[in-house]
Amino acid sequence: MTFLELLLLSSLPIAFSFSHFAFGATTTLLPDIEVQALQDIAKTLGKKDWNFSIDPCSKQPPWFFSNASKGHENAVTCNCTFANSTVCHVVSILLKAQRLPGTVPPESELVRLPYLQVIDLTRNYLNGTIPPEWGSMKLVSISLLGNRVSGSIPKELANITTLKSLSIEYNQFSGNLPPKLGNLPQIERMLMSSNNFTGEIPATFAKLTTLKDFRIADNHFSGSIPDFIQNWTNLEKLGLSGPIPTGSSFLAKVNDLRISDLNGTDMSFPLISSMTKLKTLILMSCNIIGPLPEYLGQLPNLSTLDISFNKLSGGIPSNFRSLRQVEYHEGMDNCYFSLHLV
Ligand SMILES: *[C@@H]1O[C@H](CO)[C@@H](O)[C@H](O)[C@H]1NC(C)=O
Ligand SMILES: *[C@@H]1O[C@H](CO)[C@@H](O)[C@H](O)[C@H]1NC(C)=O
Ligand SMILES: *[C@@H]1O[C@H](CO)[C@@H](O)[C@H](O)[C@H]1NC(C)=O
Ligand SMILES: *[C@@H]1O[C@H](CO)[C@@H](O)[C@H](O)[C@H]1NC(C)=O
Ligand SMILES: *[C@@H]1O[C@H](CO)[C@@H](O)[C@H](O)[C@H]1NC(C)=O
Ligand SMILES: *[C@@H]1O[C@H](CO)[C@@H](O)[C@H](O)[C@H]1NC(C)=O
Ligand SMILES: *[C@@H]1O[C@H](CO)[C@@H](O)[C@H](O)[C@H]1NC(C)=O
Ligand SMILES: *[C@@H]1O[C@H](CO)[C@@H](O)[C@H](O)[C@H]1NC(C)=O
Ligand SMILES: *[C@@H]1O[C@H](CO)[C@@H](O)[C@H](O)[C@H]1NC(C)=O
Ligand SMILES: *[C@@H]1O[C@H](CO)[C@@H](O)[C@H](O)[C@H]1NC(C)=O
């Protein structure tokens, strides 16, 4: 058994050798093992500009760009309050839209950052798979959104009891969703749209009542969206493709509902009159027939309405004039009017 394995299996507080890594004139309060982990992670990700002559915890470029625009964050953050402020640990790595060409860091690298809470590699060119061993970490937020990551979601991720956000939209994930994910006690965001997942939504997901944001559109799931989502009473945002659940009428906190690409049979407009907080309603290509319900015109905060590529009839109810903020999307104009009204 290696030293690292011993460390991982040990339930005792982790004790590293704190022979602080020297950087020329500078030293860091970051343990050697974490510095070396960062060096390996840089190689794996293809991150070329991390300069190890500069303290990774310095909050200075190239480790931390305070001027980065939203969506392009480029920052390593440490918590330096350990052992009476004599020891730092890496707590967050944000590398968004950095054109990283490499692969997802394997377990041997990330687990050497035992205090890491946030790993955000949004919009890069990373491939590879999520290693099951990530399940041993105390992560709070994982984002691989917009990469080329494949394979299935390891069931071991269900061990991350601290996990609040899992964002893996726009990748090449496949396989079934592990039923064990239904055990995640704190999960608030589960964003999995635009992958190649198959199978059904596991029945265990009924327990995920902490969810605020759930998106699974544009996959290859079979079966319908289970009725139990009506028990996700904290849900604010929902994105699906698949038959609209009848239970959706209970989701009173939802302000963002996106349902697209239903290949089912014709259906009438879904009953969403209890979703009084709706700001965004997108029901694209859902084979919806019949008239638009009048209550839509009374939703006070609805500002984006996209109902393009349906088979609606009957025109826009007269009370829709009260929808002052509605943006009439091009798609709605083109398809709603020209294809189905004229
Ligand atoms: C790394 O930082 C050191 C110290 O600031 C500097 O002298 C060196 O040129 C930097 N290296 C690169 C490759 O930028
Ligand atoms: C941020 O600052 C760095 C130098 O510290 C500079 O190279 C970079 O262009 C700046 N980025 C933006 C978006 O202003
Ligand atoms: C740093 O870590 C300490 C000890 O775990 C914790 O109490 C504190 O809240 C952390 N600080 C930040 C800014 O996360
Ligand atoms: C923590 O550091 C402060 C200031 O360096 C020192 O006064 C104090 O005795 C230290 N506490 C412990 C428990 O070492
Ligand atoms: C990841 O991409 C690299 C080249 O960019 C390729 O050599 C490697 O085989 C790919 N790995 C996987 C798992 O697809
Ligand atoms: C996950 O937890 C189970 C027990 O709950 C344990 O057997 C398994 O080894 C853990 N896996 C990881 C990767 O930590
Ligand atoms: C998605 O999965 C299906 C069935 O498993 C497979 O035939 C297809 O090639 C996959 N598509 C992509 C883009 O991976
Ligand atoms: C919703 O939760 C209640 C109470 O926990 C439970 O009795 C009911 O079966 C659940 N509904 C669904 C559809 O799972
Ligand atoms: C719906 O059907 C069209 C054409 O039959 C197909 O191209 C598309 O992939 C299907 N979408 C889904 C979500 O199954
Ligand atoms: C509409 O938005 C306003 C401002 O954000 C908010 O105060 C109000 O509660 C919202 N109304 C509903 C029904 O959600």
Side-chain angles (χ1 to χ4, degrees), residues 14-119:
I14 295 173
F16 295 112
S17 66
F18 295 118
S19 54
H20 296 145
F21 202 83
F23 296 105
T26 323
T27 56
T28 178
L29 300 175
L30 196 59
D32 283 6
I33 188 170
E34 293 193 38
V35 174
Q36 281 153 19
L38 288 174
Q39 285 171 332
D40 293 345
I41 289 168
K43 271 195 213 104
T44 303
L45 296 176
K47 177 77 177 146
K48 299 233 175 356
D49 64 346
W50 277 351
N51 183 338
F52 288 87
S53 300
I54 297 170
D55 180 357
C57 297
S58 63
K59 290 217 147 199
Q60 297 298 318
W63 293 99
F64 192 102
F65 289 86
S66 49
N67 64 351
S69 55
K70 194 167 175 349
H72 292 79
E73 288 86 348
N74 183 356
V76 172
T77 312
C78 305
N79 180 336
C80 293
T81 64
F82 293 88
N84 202 12
S85 298
T86 62
V87 174
C88 295
H89 292 293
V90 174
V91 291
S92 156
I93 297 177
L94 269 59
L95 300 171
K96 300 202 211 175
Q98 302 296 309
R99 301 174 184 276
L100 299 175
T103 59
V104 174
E107 47 96 13
S108 59
E109 296 174 359
L110 269 206
V111 295
R112 283 183 282 153
L113 302 177
Y115 292 82
L116 190 67
Q117 297 185 330
V118 177
I119 176 123

Side-chain angles (χ1 to χ4, degrees), residues 276-279 300-301:
T276 54
K277 294 188 185 315
L278 274 181
K279 292 180 188 159
N301 289 347

Side-chain angles (χ1 to χ4, degrees), residues 206 209 226-231:
T209 52
D227 265 0
F228 60 66
I229 75 165
Q230 69 188 257
N231 276 0

Side-chain angles (χ1 to χ4, degrees), residues 137-141 159-165 185-186:
M137 301 187 61
K138 296 275 169 270
L139 294 164
V140 174
S141 176
N159 283 17
I160 313 183
T161 54
T162 46
L163 195 63
K164 290 190 175 165
S165 178
Q186 302 198 58

